[in-house]
Amino acid sequence: SRSAADRVDLGNVGSASGRAQAAFQAAQSQIGKPYVYGATGTASYDCSGLTSWAYAQAGVSIPRTSQAQANAGVHLSMSELKVGDLVIFYDDLHHVGLYAGNGQVLHAPRTGAVVRYESINNMPFQFGVRI
């Protein structure tokens, strides 16, 4: 919902590109949708289902899995992240979200949760990926 989005301070870091901004805005429109493993939208998503769907709305095809998305672009440190960049978590690269600004990630977290913002520090950050 818009009201939930408004309660999160995303700062003003700017987006990585026009397509990253478009992908991020698409993902924002899915806040509150349930996580379902293997789902690619629009009723529900898993983590990489959300990111691949969001980039598809921006006219950009990226791989389906978080591990493949991890190798789909240039790797970034946390300080280099801009809105719409992919953010890869865990040693085995099994989780991905979109950087939302101000230390927040927009992602489909896990079974029983919904698409939402969360602190980037709640999960073990590996690197960002610029698409």
Side-chain angles (χ1 to χ4, degrees):
S1 73
R2 225 12 271 173
S3 58
D6 289 338
R7 284 197 295 273
V8 178
D9 179 5
L10 300 179
N12 59 353
V13 67
S15 56
S17 64
R19 60 193 190 175
Q21 181 66 25
F24 179 69
Q25 288 173 334
Q28 282 183 307
S29 75
Q30 302 304 296
I31 287 172
K33 297 283 184 78
Y35 177 99
V36 174
Y37 182 78
T40 56
T42 58
S44 55
Y45 296 91
D46 67 12
C47 65
S48 54
L50 177 66
T51 52
S52 59
W53 178 87
Y55 267 94
Q57 306 318 296
V60 182
S61 177
I62 63 172
R64 170 65 185 90
T65 68
S66 57
Q67 289 91 350
Q69 289 179 16
N71 293 308
V74 177
H75 286 190
L76 309 168
S77 68
M78 197 178 292
S79 64
E80 293 173 306
L81 292 172
K82 292 191 181 302
V83 172
D85 284 331
L86 298 178
V87 188
I88 308 293
F89 297 98
Y90 299 97
D91 290 344
D92 64 356
L93 316 180
H94 77 257
H95 192 65
V96 61
L98 292 169
Y99 190 63
N102 200 32
Q104 298 289 311
V105 179
L106 179 54
H107 70 145
R110 66 190 71 83
T111 301
V114 299
V115 175
R116 67 184 187 206
Y117 296 110
E118 189 164 342
S119 169
I120 198 170
N121 299 314
N122 288 1
M123 299 161 285
F125 172 85
Q126 303 302 308
F127 49 84
V129 178
R130 183 147 302 153
I131 298 300

